[in-house]
């Protein structure tokens, strides 16, 4: 009897784990029921509220600035009806739309009213803030929030199912999946160690990493794919992190991991202003400026943007060094020594490593040569397929090495961007922001500063390209009205779209960094979504200050416009 009683009360790890996974109010990453319930209640209340008067007026305004109307439409309401109610829109007669067709044919859905379209814009904005809150707090698993965005867009009939699917499967999403898979192949063959030797052989301390390597990386990101640079460097940095921890007998050093990962991520982000080649957002602005009869050349762009890049990257290095170096558990980090030691133990270059190197070189060449026409995702998927054909990767490697929740996160962010643009939600957010700016930020250099605040904020919630595409038609006319150079306003819009630092969804760099930042041995994720807020928000504020003091009120003053 005694033995039976003892067995009943013995500690069973499996039972304890099951009890822990059962419903409870206990918070843990990916499950914070109190925060989730609060978010759900606030969202429900917001959904039940009527749209604002500003939204109603916006969707009825003819030819609204900042919204690309499809052919044959005059208002946002027309544009939404043309996509969601094409049959009724063609009749151009609401009475006919509600009437049943003879002979048992299906009924034509009636046209949406301006109130209903404004309600859709409001719902899209609500979904944006709900998703941002859930991603930021991990009240739900990141992958669950990725799916929730699509569910809500479909549930509220904001986009048709086919449009949602298309929004989730953009070129940028394929690029993120592909580059994560390529990084798995690079790490598996050991090519990452040789790349690390080339890039980091002269970087012998944390100080050199912050003040030499990060500025060089930022300048490189002005001309090469910043996403590719980040994706290639992170496996190398994770190897340096692990070896350094072992050298000093430390199991885990999050401060070191954050310093390496976010340092590289933030430096690459701020290479954007350096040249028009830095990303699609810059190409969009080049097109807008040409449309306004003020075309800008490659060298002219560099003249106004490149001086910002090294100064800003040095400021980032200083901030990251001061914020994180005192928290290191290891006494020092020497990337040069680590990569040299790692390469010493490797076999002679050849075999699968050589094949991986050829694939990587061809991939980079494809990005440069055909990227403008084929996108970044297509060539990257070619590289993934080549790795399978060359037997560098197996499907198990993809399943174990690619963070699909991070791929889904960026896919959901892309879908949100499409919905915000389509319903006018993005236009309303921009207009609302502009309307609350104080008077001194609506004229002269104050307007330039105000536009940078608007763009730098919005780019953290939408992709940089979508932000520039949405804001360009709004802010450029403001420059003419305020008698400010269109170049100034256009360039500041494009420059500030590089400041996507404090949300994972802001840019592929953040998503790649978050997804690949794992312990090479245990697979444990070394970054938390709140790390981007904790360190990215100060970096964004510093970026604004450098942009205003050094660029707008500094060297731009002595340049001709």
């Amino acid at each position: 009897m005694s033995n039976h009683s003892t067995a009943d009360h013995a500690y069973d790890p499996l039972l304890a784990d099951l009890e822990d996974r059962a419903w409870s109010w206990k918070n843990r990453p990916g499950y914070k029921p109190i925060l989730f319930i609060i978010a759900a209640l606030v969202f429900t209340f917001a959904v039940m509220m009527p749209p604002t008067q500003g939204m109603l007026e916006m969707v009825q305004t003819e030819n609204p600035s900042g919204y690309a109307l499809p052919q044959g439409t005059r208002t946002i309401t027309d544009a939404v009806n043309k996509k969601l109610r094409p049959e009724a829109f063609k009749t151009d007669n609401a009475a006919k739309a509600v009437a049943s067709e003879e002979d048992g044919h299906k009924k034509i859905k009636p046209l949406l009213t301006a109130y209903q379209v404004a309600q859709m814009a409001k719902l899209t904005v609500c979904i944006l803030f709900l998703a941002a809150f859930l991603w930021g707090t991990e009240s739900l698993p990141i992958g669950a929030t990725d799916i929730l965005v699509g569910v809500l867009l479909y549930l509220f009939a904001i986009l048709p199912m086919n449009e949602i699917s298309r929004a989730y499967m953009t070129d940028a999403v394929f690029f993120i999946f592909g580059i994560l898979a390529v990084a798995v192949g690079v790490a598996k063959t050991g090519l990452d160690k040789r790349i690390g030797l080339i890039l980091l052989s002269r970087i012998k301390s944390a100080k050199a990493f912050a003040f030499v390597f990060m500025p060089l990386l930022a300048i490189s990101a002005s001309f090469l794919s910043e996403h590719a640079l980040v994706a290639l460097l992170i496996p190398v940095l994770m190897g340096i992190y692990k070896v350094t921890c072992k050298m000093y007998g430390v199991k885990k050093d999050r401060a070191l991991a954050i310093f390496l990962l976010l340092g590289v991520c933030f430096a690459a982000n701020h290479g954007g202003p350096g040249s028009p080649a830095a990303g699609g957002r810059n190409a969009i602005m080049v097109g807008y400026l040409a449309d306004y009869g003020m075309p800008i050349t490659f060298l002219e762009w560099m003249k106004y943007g490149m001086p910002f890049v090294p100064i800003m990257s040095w400021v980032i290095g200083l901030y990251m060094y001061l914020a994180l170096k005192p928290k290191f558990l290891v006494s020092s980090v020497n990337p040069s020594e680590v990569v040299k030691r790692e390469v010493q133990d490797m076999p002679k270059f050849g075999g699968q490593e050589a094949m991986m190197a050829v694939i990587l070189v061809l991939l980079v060449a494809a990005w440069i040569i055909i990227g403008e026409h084929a996108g970044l995702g297509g060539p990257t998927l070619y590289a993934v397929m080549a790795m399978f054909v060359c037997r560098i990767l197996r499907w198990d490697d993809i399943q174990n090495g690619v963070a699909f929740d991070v791929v889904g996160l960026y896919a959901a962010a892309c879908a949100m961007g499409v919905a915000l643009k389509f319903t006018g939600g993005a236009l309303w957010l921009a207009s609302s922001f502009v309307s609350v700016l104080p008077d001194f930020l609506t004229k002269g250099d104050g307007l330039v500063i105000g536009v940078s605040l608007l763009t730098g904020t919005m780019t953290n919630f939408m992709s940089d390209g979508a932000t520039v595409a949405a804001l360009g038609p709004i802010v450029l006319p403001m420059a003419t009205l305020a008698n400010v150079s269109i170049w100034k306003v256009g360039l500041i819009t494009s420059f500030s779209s590089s400041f996507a630092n404090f949300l994972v969804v802001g840019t592929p760099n953040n998503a790649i960094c978050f997804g690949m930042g794992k312990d090479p041995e245990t697979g444990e994720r070394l970054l938390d979504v709140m790390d981007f807020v904790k360190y990215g928000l100060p970096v964004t504020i510093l970026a604004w200050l450098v942009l205003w003091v050094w660029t707008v009120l500094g060297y731009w003053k002595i340049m001709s416009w």
Side-chain angles (χ1 to χ4, degrees), residues 195-501:
I195 294 173
L197 180 65
I198 296 170
L199 298 176
L200 295 163
S201 59
R202 296 183 181 276
I203 306 301
K204 299 182 178 180
S205 66
K207 190 175 292 186
F209 185 86
F211 300 116
V212 177
F213 181 72
M214 285 168 59
L216 290 175
L217 172 64
I219 293 170
S220 300
S222 295
F223 304 97
L224 304 174
S225 167
E226 63 198 65
H227 316 319
L229 289 170
V230 170
L232 290 176
L233 281 168
I234 287 178
V236 180
L237 297 177
M238 288 298 88
I240 291 170
Y241 162 80
K242 194 62 184 178
V243 172
T244 303
C245 286
K246 286 182 176 180
M247 284 171 58
Y248 291 97
V250 174
K251 185 177 179 182
K252 179 180 177 181
D253 189 343
R254 282 198 77 240
L256 174 61
I258 293 169
F259 174 74
L260 295 173
L261 291 169
L262 293 189
V264 163
C265 182
F266 295 158
N269 285 351
H270 292 83
S275 85
R281 59 191 180 276
N282 293 355
I284 291 169
M285 184 51 67
V286 168
Y288 281 154
L289 292 175
D291 292 342
Y292 270 81
M294 295 287 290
I296 188 169
T297 67
F298 195 98
L299 288 177
E300 285 170 333
W301 184 297
M302 283 186 62
K303 181 177 74 172
Y304 291 109
M306 184 54 77
F308 168 84
V309 175
I311 298 298
M312 184 60 221
S313 55
W314 190 86
V315 170
I316 293 170
L318 178 64
Y319 167 73
M320 297 298 284
Y321 185 82
L322 294 177
L324 290 161
K325 180 62 171 66
K327 299 178 183 178
F328 283 7
L329 299 181
V330 299
S331 58
S332 67
V333 56
N334 187 335
S336 175
E337 180 186 345
V338 172
V339 294
K340 286 177 181 176
R341 183 185 303 176
E342 289 287 299
V343 172
Q344 256 182 351
D345 300 330
M346 288 182 64
K348 188 177 179 180
F349 181 75
Q352 288 191 331
E353 186 186 1
M355 285 191 287
M356 186 67 240
V358 171
I359 291 170
L360 191 60
V361 169
L362 292 175
L363 175 59
V364 173
W367 284 333
I368 295 170
I369 297 169
I370 64 172
E372 185 177 345
H373 305 288
L376 295 175
T380 312
L381 290 184
Y382 297 158
V384 174
M385 198 64 235
M387 289 191 293
F388 279 118
V389 171
C390 296
R391 302 188 67 181
I392 293 170
L393 287 183
R394 299 176 303 168
W395 184 248
D396 286 347
D397 298 321
I398 298 290
Q399 287 182 307
N400 296 329
V402 174
F404 283 98
D405 58 343
V406 177
V407 177
L409 182 149
Y410 200 73
C414 289
M416 279 302 315
V418 170
L420 284 166
K421 187 176 179 182
F422 169 62
T423 62
L427 178 60
W428 179 81
L429 284 171
S431 302
S432 299
F433 189 93
V434 170
S435 67
V436 299
L437 288 175
D439 190 54
F440 74 91
L441 289 181
T442 59
K443 58 185 72 171
D445 286 337
L447 173 64
V448 179
I449 291 172
V451 168
S452 72
L453 278 170
L454 169 62
T455 311
T457 301
M458 282 193 65
T459 194
N460 280 278
F461 295 92
M462 299 170 62
S463 72
D464 45 28
T467 300
V468 173
L471 292 182
I474 298 171
V475 298
L476 292 180
M478 292 168 61
T480 305
L481 295 174
N483 198 27
V484 178
S485 167
I486 286 182
W487 274 13
K488 269 191 179 182
V489 174
L491 289 174
I492 213 74
T493 303
S494 199
F495 291 4
S496 305
S497 69
S498 298
F499 299 172
N501 303 306

Side-chain angles (χ1 to χ4, degrees), residues 497-552:
S497 69
S498 298
F499 299 172
N501 303 306
F502 58 82
L503 287 180
V504 178
V505 299
T507 172
N509 284 355
N510 297 0
I512 292 168
C513 184
F514 180 68
M516 294 174 62
K518 296 180 179 180
D519 187 297
E521 292 183 358
T522 65
E524 179 186 3
R525 188 164 278 161
L526 296 170
L527 286 179
D528 186 86
V529 286
M530 290 306 294
D531 290 328
F532 285 89
V533 179
K534 183 177 179 180
Y535 297 100
L537 187 56
V539 166
T540 301
I541 293 170
L542 288 170
W544 274 321
L545 292 174
V546 172
L547 188 66
W548 301 338
V549 176
W550 168 238
T551 301
V552 178

Side-chain angles (χ1 to χ4, degrees), residues 169-199:
M169 289 287 103
T170 63
D171 178 72
V173 175
F174 282 120
F175 169 74
I176 288 179
F177 163 73
I179 202 65
L180 292 175
V182 168
V184 173
V186 169
K188 184 179 179 182
T189 58
L191 184 61
D192 58 328
K193 297 181 178 64
R194 297 193 197 274
I195 294 173
L197 180 65
I198 296 170
L199 298 176

